Amino acid sequence: MDRTRVWPDFRDAWIVYEDADLIVIDKPVGVSSQAADPQRPDDVVTRLKRFLGQRAGADPYVGVHQRLDRDTSGLLLYARRREANAHLALQFERRAVKKTYVAGVSHWPRDRERATLRDALARGPDGSMRVVSAQAPGAKEAALRARVVARNADRAILELELDTGRTHQARIQLSHAGAPIAGDPLYGGEIAPRLMLHASRLELEHPQSRERVRFTCKMPAEFNAWLAEGDRGEAIYDNHSALASAFERALERRWGLGRSDTGPEPTTAFRLVNEEGDSLPRLAVDVYGSWLVAQLYGDDGPWSDGARKANLFDRLHGLGFDGVYLKVRPKQANVIVDTRRAEVAPALPVRGVAAPEELTILQAGVPFLVRLGDGLSTGLFLDQRANRRRVHEMVAGKSVANLFSYTCGFTVAAAQGDAARTVSVDASASALERGQANLALAGVLDPARHTLVAQDSFAWLDRCAKRGERFDLVIVDPPSYSTTRRGRFVAQSDYESLAAAALAIVSPGGRLLACTNHRGISQARFRRMLFDACRRAKREPAQVKDLPPPSDFPCAPGAEPHTKSVLVTLSG
């Protein structure tokens, strides 16, 4: 597999105009204007400079004067020479650059063909922008003009001219006007294949000739498709161009992860497609090194058609990976599946060549062993990547209990973070054997500091509490449904009792990392469960903090992440 082919630095097709002074590009959706993580720079400027440098064989100059949100596509202009910078900066400062956008919105009034929106904006406590009174602290004027380009039912395409350049200006002003941009979860937009906002035109004075110039780019095909049909839902799998576009967007959103294999903290396993969060319902696709693992939720609906599934596998393999494995998961998590059935989890890839029986992948430079053809589970839960990093950073010199430890991913992170000691508890002795192999692979070879216990986690908690044993950090990440000698565990009804038992063995001032992937438990309800567990265990929480999911697990508009994580810190 060639990762530079799957995730190239830049594409020639993105360049709209170029001369000695300027370069104008049509930025795709999913590409950031500035790097969120300095360790993993994935912004368009870094990528453009790398591309220009390889083409010219020298370190290029790129002057930055504007930005677009990661999920807004369209025109960005950069200076190619320092001499052009001052004149461009003056135009942007004086608002002499005319910026035009197109936006797909819902609920725009039928009798309103044109409108001018004037509001005062300020940043709210949660970091999002909001409309405030003009006298409010930090308030800044925002003005835009809107014109209807096309309509269909309750949907409309608007052309927008921004007279000011405020953060999220078009998004918040249109939402405040009752017509949110589709695909915008932050400001109440309806479900759409992407954020339906595109910078379509720039007009300014050329820094060399001083003539007025105009740069334009086409409205993305998704806009007209959304106007005609709205959200396609599962019908996307019957539209070849829409499916290809969805995969392209998913790849761009993960460019930083995809190209991090040679960075300071290489990561070669992450999620590429996260169901509705990437506009691909009932489909998740994970990257494991040079292979993909496609997870289909249910064998009905879009997956009841063999030709449709074959097309999906062909397109996934065509992305440039060595092979594609398949897992068919039940729609209901409490349904027991025989993973030995070849149609549920075939041992060999459905496309391409097979991976090694035991494959080593990396997350933040830490190695783990996975098995892609061994049932529904691979041996590593990718949605806990960010939490493993948090554990690594908080455990130096501390004691850690990892319950339902499976193959000991959290234990490896704790050991790498120099925990004083760890205890990993799981009912499956075979899972712990794989955990021991992970610890050895990561160079953790001190059995006196890192104990593995093959026992039911509930029974171990009882025994630990009776002995008065305490831990600085207890990690609880149970399956949503399981059967033990003590009976059946169902997260919706039993998690509070489990959390109370876990809190009973947390040291004063210690922490509980509580996780659940039960889709029926909301974040708010999960927090309530943990507060109730504190009361039941008679432990006083100093802080109960929601933890965000990793960036490769985006949610659909209006939805919550499937995996909920909360860090409870007890009073000293």
Side-chain angles (χ1 to χ4, degrees):
M1 173 195 174
D2 181 0
R3 299 182 93 81
T4 61
R5 174 178 169 266
V6 179
W7 287 284
D9 287 330
F10 206 80
R11 299 182 190 273
D12 284 300
W14 297 353
I15 298 176
V16 174
Y17 175 85
E18 182 180 10
D19 63 20
D21 295 282
L22 305 176
I23 185 166
V24 182
I25 69 166
D26 182 0
K27 183 188 81 67
V29 65
V31 180
S32 299
S33 291
Q34 53 189 0
D37 182 358
Q39 295 289 329
R40 194 176 289 126
D42 59 350
D43 58 289
V44 68
V45 178
T46 298
R47 296 174 63 178
L48 176 60
K49 290 182 70 173
R50 190 178 299 176
F51 170 78
L52 294 174
Q54 291 170 350
R55 192 179 68 179
D59 185 21
Y61 176 81
V62 175
V64 180
H65 294 279
Q66 57 173 150
R67 294 187 175 94
L68 293 174
D69 294 335
R70 186 195 67 169
D71 291 324
T72 300
S73 57
L75 295 177
L76 284 171
L77 178 146
Y78 301 102
R80 292 293 309 278
R81 298 188 307 125
R82 286 183 173 84
E83 293 79 3
N85 244 3
H87 188 66
L88 291 174
L90 188 61
Q91 291 186 75
F92 278 101
E93 182 182 335
R94 293 179 174 176
R95 300 178 186 172
V97 178
K98 186 176 180 181
K99 295 174 285 187
T100 305
Y101 293 73
V102 288
V105 304
S106 53
H107 310 300
W108 186 261
R110 290 188 173 275
D111 59 350
R112 200 177 191 188
E113 294 301 308
R114 294 177 181 271
T116 298
L117 306 181
R118 297 188 184 278
D119 299 290
L121 307 185
R123 194 174 297 278
D126 60 354
S128 65
M129 301 299 292
R130 59 185 61 190
V131 174
V132 297
S133 70
Q135 292 75 38
K140 294 183 178 180
E141 176 195 9
L144 68 78
R145 287 166 286 161
R147 178 178 68 87
V148 175
V149 174
R151 292 181 183 272
N152 183 29
D154 196 33
R155 301 181 294 278
I157 302 293
L158 304 181
E159 183 181 81
L160 310 175
E161 292 185 2
L162 273 60
D163 295 335
T164 53
R166 308 302 182 200
T167 301
H168 292 183
Q169 176 181 336
R171 297 166 64 180
I172 184 59
Q173 285 195 272
L174 289 169
S175 176
H176 183 69
I181 297 176
D184 189 351
L186 191 59
Y187 298 108
E190 67 177 44
I191 293 176
R194 50 157 290 183
L195 176 67
M196 305 300 286
L197 183 62
H198 176 73
S200 58
R201 188 165 67 240
L202 280 173
E203 294 183 40
L204 70 157
E205 190 177 90
H206 193 283
Q208 181 66 31
S209 68
R210 298 299 198 262
E211 293 180 356
R212 196 75 180 169
V213 291
R214 173 190 289 188
F215 305 108
T216 62
C217 61
K218 291 182 179 179
M219 184 171 68
E222 296 99 325
F223 281 62
N224 282 326
W226 171 82
L227 182 69
E229 307 172 38
D231 178 53
R232 283 193 173 98
E234 295 175 7
I236 191 172
Y237 299 110
D238 295 316
N239 187 300
H240 296 318
S241 62
L243 185 59
S245 294
F247 284 141
E248 288 174 9
R249 292 193 300 270
L251 284 167
E252 288 300 341
R253 286 172 176 166
R254 279 78 172 184
W255 189 92
L257 287 165
R259 291 292 297 274
S260 73
D261 58 312
T262 58
E265 294 186 343
T267 293
T268 61
F270 52 90
R271 178 145 291 188
L272 179 62
V273 169
N274 194 46
E275 303 178 66
E276 288 88 348
D278 286 292
S279 302
L280 291 164
R282 295 173 65 171
L283 172 67
V285 182
D286 294 324
V287 174
Y288 290 89
S290 298
W291 285 267
L292 295 177
V293 174
Q295 301 176 69
L296 312 184
Y297 288 87
D299 55 6
D300 59 345
W303 313 131
S304 60
D305 186 306
R308 190 182 292 123
K309 286 197 295 186
N311 176 60
L312 173 68
F313 301 152
D314 288 341
R315 288 190 171 276
L316 286 172
H317 190 221
L319 295 178
F321 291 83
D322 289 348
V324 180
Y325 283 81
L326 172 64
K327 316 289 182 188
V328 179
R329 298 188 177 275
K331 286 192 296 182
Q332 300 296 326
N334 60 345
V335 174
I336 297 175
V337 174
D338 181 3
T339 62
R340 293 170 296 179
R341 289 164 46 201
E343 63 269 28
V344 170
L348 295 175
V350 293
R351 293 292 185 274
V353 300
E357 183 178 354
E358 203 159 47
L359 175 69
T360 300
I361 59 86
L362 298 170
Q363 286 201 326
V366 179
F368 295 94
L369 294 168
V370 295
R371 299 173 185 174
L372 305 188
D374 186 19
L376 282 176
S377 298
T378 64
L380 187 69
F381 296 124
L382 300 187
D383 57 355
Q384 293 291 6
R385 174 169 56 87
N387 280 338
R388 283 190 285 271
R389 179 63 177 267
R390 293 183 181 105
V391 167
H392 177 274
E393 294 173 349
M394 72 171 70
V395 298
K398 299 182 183 299
S399 56
V400 179
N402 180 15
L403 309 183
F404 308 93
S405 61
Y406 187 40
T407 61
C408 301
F410 279 119
T411 309
V412 171
Q416 290 275 311
D418 201 26
R421 72 183 183 104
T422 68
V423 178
S424 304
V425 185
D426 199 279
S428 170
S430 60
L432 290 175
E433 287 177 4
R434 294 176 68 179
Q436 183 64 63
N438 274 328
L439 286 163
L441 182 66
V444 181
L445 303 173
D446 187 353
R449 292 176 58 190
H450 305 290
T451 306
L452 278 64
V453 179
Q455 188 177 6
D456 175 82
S457 291
F458 300 93
W460 182 86
L461 280 169
D462 288 344
R463 182 166 59 90
C464 191
K466 289 175 182 177
R467 291 196 311 233
E469 193 169 359
R470 297 290 183 267
F471 292 85
D472 299 312
L473 173 65
V474 178
I475 303 166
V476 180
D477 183 22
S480 295
Y481 305 90
S482 65
T483 301
T484 70
R485 292 179 182 177
R486 294 165 61 103
R488 184 163 172 77
F489 172 80
V490 179
Q492 273 192 308
S493 56
D494 301 326
Y495 202 109
E496 181 188 321
S497 298
L498 170 62
L503 284 162
I505 68 166
V506 177
S507 303
R511 289 168 164 173
L512 171 70
L513 175 58
C515 308
T516 181
N517 63 359
H518 195 298
R519 301 190 183 206
I521 299 177
S522 68
Q523 189 76 41
R525 185 184 173 197
F526 193 43
R527 285 174 59 87
R528 288 197 300 272
M529 285 180 170
L530 294 171
F531 275 112
D532 290 342
C534 287
R535 283 191 288 271
R536 179 184 290 195
K538 298 181 180 178
R539 307 303 301 272
E540 182 67 28
Q543 184 185 54
V544 178
K545 181 180 181 182
D546 294 344
L547 301 176
S551 60
D552 48 327
F553 283 77
C555 303
E560 290 187 333
H562 298 150
T563 297
K564 275 74 68 173
S565 302
V566 175
L567 186 63
V568 180
T569 303
L570 297 183
S571 298

